[in-house]
């Protein structure tokens, strides 16, 4: 098991497949100048599958989510999914993506064993999308979402980050549109994980603000806390349900006490928290011929030292050196 000193057990593994991306969301990446990982630093497909196998068969991981950067940019993605789906016990497999290219690969991913996807979409307006992501790819994302649903990668969830003066007026439209398309919408508070270190607490659209905006158009009823488990999203029934909307209040209502995550970066470093500044290297032992048992032990040790919380409320909080795109969001 991956247990820490506070008794939390990590069963949910986030694997970053690449730090690269075809968008440049302003809350995530700068327009240019970000240094990419060099190819030899990246884990190979086989190395990723081996580490996932160790996590699943030796360390009790039951859920694996592929992310990045943009995971659909990884050429070997379908093969990685296929190998992970063949593991015993079979983990749940999901993908967090910006949706670009999904229209081409959704069926292949489903056939390979992918269970679900989360697609990021912050706006319904193509011009706002271009301002926010610095790319003209809005239609590709909508097409990707549609393809994911048609391929049965359901429930298709949408992640939205709101920013003041850009798309914060869109919360009700986004929800109404998502409900109409049977997508499950979740808003995420903006976190200090951008490569440019431009995040300011006072500029962030808070969960409270989001709920206020939604309540102007919809009747929201809080879901029973027992339904939440370790899920970071607090969910509300919309107009009596069964449809729901989620809010991930990572900053104002952190869920660290129930955290069940462990993370692997594209260059083979284990992180026990999104916000930690420490990483544990698995790539070097992996490439030096270490047996599975030794790698599993290093992974256990990395998780044992997990801190109680993200430290966001500490005035001395320092952003991690790596941005979200390199950690794997
Ligand atoms: N490229 C894929 C995507 O956009 O879904 C996967 C990686 S992205 C880093 C994962 C999620 O993190 C996305 O939903 C994105 O909106 C979110 N994200 C990125 N930077 C963020 C930030 N500073 N605060 C909150 N969420 C952020
Ligand atoms: Fe790319 Fe996702 Fe970051 Fe946007 S949020 S720049 S899509 S990695």
């Amino acid at each position: 098991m991956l247990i820490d000193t506070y008794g939390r057990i990590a069963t949910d593994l986030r694997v970053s497949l690449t730090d690269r991306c075809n968008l440049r969301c302003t809350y995530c990446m700068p327009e240019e100048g970000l240094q990419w990982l060099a190819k030899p630093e990246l884990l190979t497909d086989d190395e990723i599958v081996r580490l996932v196998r160790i996590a699943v068969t030796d360390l009790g991981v039951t859920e694996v989510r592929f992310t990045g950067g943009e995971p659909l940019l990884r050429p070997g993605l379908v093969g990685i999914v296929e190998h992970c789906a063949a593991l015993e016990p079979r983990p749940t497999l999901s993908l967090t993506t910006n949706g670009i290219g999904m229209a081409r690969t959704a069926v292949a991913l489903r056939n390979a064993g992918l269970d679900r996807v989360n697609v990021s979409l912050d706006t319904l307006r193509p011009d706002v999308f271009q301002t926010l992501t610095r790319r003209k790819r809005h239609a590709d994302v909508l097409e990707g979402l549609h393809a994911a649903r048609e391929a049965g990668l359901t429930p298709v969830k949408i992640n939205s980050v709101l920013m003041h003066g850009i798309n914060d007026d869109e919360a009700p439209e986004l929800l109404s549109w998502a409900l109409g398309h049977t997508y499950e919408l979740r808003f995420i508070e903006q976190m200090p994980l951008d490569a440019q270190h431009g995040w300011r607490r006072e500029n962030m659209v808070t969960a409270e603000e989001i709920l206020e905006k939604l309540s102007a158009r919809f009747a929201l009823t809080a879901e029973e806390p027992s339904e939440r488990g370790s899920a970071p999203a607090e969910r509300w029934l919309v107009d009596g349900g069964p449809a729901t909307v989620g809010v991930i209040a990572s900053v104002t209502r952190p869920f660290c006490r129930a955290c069940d995550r462990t993370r692997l970066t594209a260059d083979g470093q284990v992180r026990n928290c999104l916000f930690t500044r420490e990483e544990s290297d698995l790539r070097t032992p992996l490439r030096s011929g270490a047996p599975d048992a030794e790698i599993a032990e290093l992974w256990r040790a990395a998780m044992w030292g997990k801190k109680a919380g993200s430290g966001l409320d500490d005035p001395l909080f320092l952003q991690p050196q790596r941005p979200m795109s390199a950690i794997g969001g």
Side-chain angles (χ1 to χ4, degrees), residues 21 23-25 27-29 69 98:
C21 192
L23 296 183
R24 292 288 181 277
C25 305
Y27 51 73
C28 183
M29 283 193 189
N98 63 28

PDB file of all heavy atoms in Angstrom, residues 21 23-25 27-29 69 98, ligand 2:
ATOM      1  N   CYS A  21       2.334  20.799 -25.077  1.00  0.00           N
ATOM      2  CA  CYS A  21       0.925  21.043 -25.324  1.00  0.00           C
ATOM      3  C   CYS A  21       0.734  21.826 -26.613  1.00  0.00           C
ATOM      4  O   CYS A  21       1.617  22.567 -27.026  1.00  0.00           O
ATOM      5  CB  CYS A  21       0.307  21.800 -24.165  1.00  0.00           C
ATOM      6  SG  CYS A  21      -1.498  21.805 -24.265  1.00  0.00           S
ATOM      7  N   LEU A  23      -1.930  23.889 -26.838  1.00  0.00           N
ATOM      8  CA  LEU A  23      -2.565  25.146 -26.432  1.00  0.00           C
ATOM      9  C   LEU A  23      -1.605  25.880 -25.494  1.00  0.00           C
ATOM     10  O   LEU A  23      -0.590  25.310 -25.057  1.00  0.00           O
ATOM     11  CB  LEU A  23      -3.893  24.886 -25.716  1.00  0.00           C
ATOM     12  CG  LEU A  23      -5.016  24.229 -26.530  1.00  0.00           C
ATOM     13  CD1 LEU A  23      -6.286  24.105 -25.685  1.00  0.00           C
ATOM     14  CD2 LEU A  23      -5.315  25.021 -27.799  1.00  0.00           C
ATOM     15  N   ARG A  24      -1.944  27.097 -25.170  1.00  0.00           N
ATOM     16  CA  ARG A  24      -1.132  27.887 -24.238  1.00  0.00           C
ATOM     17  C   ARG A  24      -2.065  28.620 -23.267  1.00  0.00           C
ATOM     18  O   ARG A  24      -2.058  29.848 -23.213  1.00  0.00           O
ATOM     19  CB  ARG A  24      -0.295  28.936 -25.005  1.00  0.00           C
ATOM     20  CG  ARG A  24       0.797  28.367 -25.886  1.00  0.00           C
ATOM     21  CD  ARG A  24       1.963  27.824 -25.037  1.00  0.00           C
ATOM     22  NE  ARG A  24       3.017  27.299 -25.878  1.00  0.00           N
ATOM     23  CZ  ARG A  24       3.031  26.079 -26.416  1.00  0.00           C
ATOM     24  NH1 ARG A  24       2.024  25.249 -26.189  1.00  0.00           N
ATOM     25  NH2 ARG A  24       4.033  25.681 -27.162  1.00  0.00           N
ATOM     26  N   CYS A  25      -2.883  27.861 -22.529  1.00  0.00           N
ATOM     27  CA  CYS A  25      -3.837  28.484 -21.605  1.00  0.00           C
ATOM     28  C   CYS A  25      -3.090  29.438 -20.672  1.00  0.00           C
ATOM     29  O   CYS A  25      -2.074  29.053 -20.087  1.00  0.00           O
ATOM     30  CB  CYS A  25      -4.572  27.416 -20.812  1.00  0.00           C
ATOM     31  SG  CYS A  25      -5.364  26.206 -21.872  1.00  0.00           S
ATOM     32  N   TYR A  27      -3.579  30.541 -17.765  1.00  0.00           N
ATOM     33  CA  TYR A  27      -3.422  30.175 -16.344  1.00  0.00           C
ATOM     34  C   TYR A  27      -2.472  28.998 -16.162  1.00  0.00           C
ATOM     35  O   TYR A  27      -2.253  28.540 -15.052  1.00  0.00           O
ATOM     36  CB  TYR A  27      -4.782  29.852 -15.711  1.00  0.00           C
ATOM     37  CG  TYR A  27      -5.615  28.857 -16.477  1.00  0.00           C
ATOM     38  CD1 TYR A  27      -5.295  27.511 -16.494  1.00  0.00           C
ATOM     39  CD2 TYR A  27      -6.724  29.277 -17.213  1.00  0.00           C
ATOM     40  CE1 TYR A  27      -6.035  26.596 -17.211  1.00  0.00           C
ATOM     41  CE2 TYR A  27      -7.478  28.371 -17.940  1.00  0.00           C
ATOM     42  CZ  TYR A  27      -7.129  27.035 -17.939  1.00  0.00           C
ATOM     43  OH  TYR A  27      -7.863  26.127 -18.657  1.00  0.00           O
ATOM     44  N   CYS A  28      -1.930  28.493 -17.282  1.00  0.00           N
ATOM     45  CA  CYS A  28      -1.091  27.296 -17.221  1.00  0.00           C
ATOM     46  C   CYS A  28       0.306  27.535 -17.783  1.00  0.00           C
ATOM     47  O   CYS A  28       1.306  27.205 -17.151  1.00  0.00           O
ATOM     48  CB  CYS A  28      -1.791  26.182 -17.988  1.00  0.00           C
ATOM     49  SG  CYS A  28      -0.957  24.592 -17.973  1.00  0.00           S
ATOM     50  N   MET A  29       0.378  28.133 -18.970  1.00  0.00           N
ATOM     51  CA  MET A  29       1.676  28.242 -19.665  1.00  0.00           C
ATOM     52  C   MET A  29       1.898  29.642 -20.210  1.00  0.00           C
ATOM     53  O   MET A  29       0.935  30.325 -20.555  1.00  0.00           O
ATOM     54  CB  MET A  29       1.674  27.333 -20.894  1.00  0.00           C
ATOM     55  CG  MET A  29       1.854  25.897 -20.613  1.00  0.00           C
ATOM     56  SD  MET A  29       2.194  25.094 -22.198  1.00  0.00           S
ATOM     57  CE  MET A  29       2.087  23.409 -21.681  1.00  0.00           C
ATOM     58  N   GLY A  69       0.711  18.380 -19.426  1.00  0.00           N
ATOM     59  CA  GLY A  69       0.755  18.554 -20.866  1.00  0.00           C
ATOM     60  C   GLY A  69      -0.475  17.961 -21.533  1.00  0.00           C
ATOM     61  O   GLY A  69      -1.466  17.725 -20.893  1.00  0.00           O
ATOM     62  N   ASN A  98      -7.270  18.253 -23.476  1.00  0.00           N
ATOM     63  CA  ASN A  98      -7.939  19.448 -24.003  1.00  0.00           C
ATOM     64  C   ASN A  98      -8.863  19.074 -25.166  1.00  0.00           C
ATOM     65  O   ASN A  98      -9.510  19.936 -25.746  1.00  0.00           O
ATOM     66  CB  ASN A  98      -6.932  20.527 -24.396  1.00  0.00           C
ATOM     67  CG  ASN A  98      -5.993  20.101 -25.520  1.00  0.00           C
ATOM     68  OD1 ASN A  98      -6.345  19.271 -26.349  1.00  0.00           O
ATOM     69  ND2 ASN A  98      -4.805  20.690 -25.546  1.00  0.00           N
TER      70      ASN A  98
HETATM   71 FE1  LIG B   2      -2.248  22.723 -22.360  1.00  0.00          FE
HETATM   72 FE2  LIG B   2      -3.940  21.707 -20.573  1.00  0.00          FE
HETATM   73 FE3  LIG B   2      -2.123  23.577 -19.855  1.00  0.00          FE
HETATM   74 FE4  LIG B   2      -4.135  24.302 -21.431  1.00  0.00          FE
HETATM   75  S1  LIG B   2      -4.315  23.506 -19.324  1.00  0.00           S
HETATM   76  S2  LIG B   2      -1.944  24.820 -21.733  1.00  0.00           S
HETATM   77  S3  LIG B   2      -4.457  22.499 -22.616  1.00  0.00           S
HETATM   78  S4  LIG B   2      -1.693  21.540 -20.511  1.00  0.00           S
END
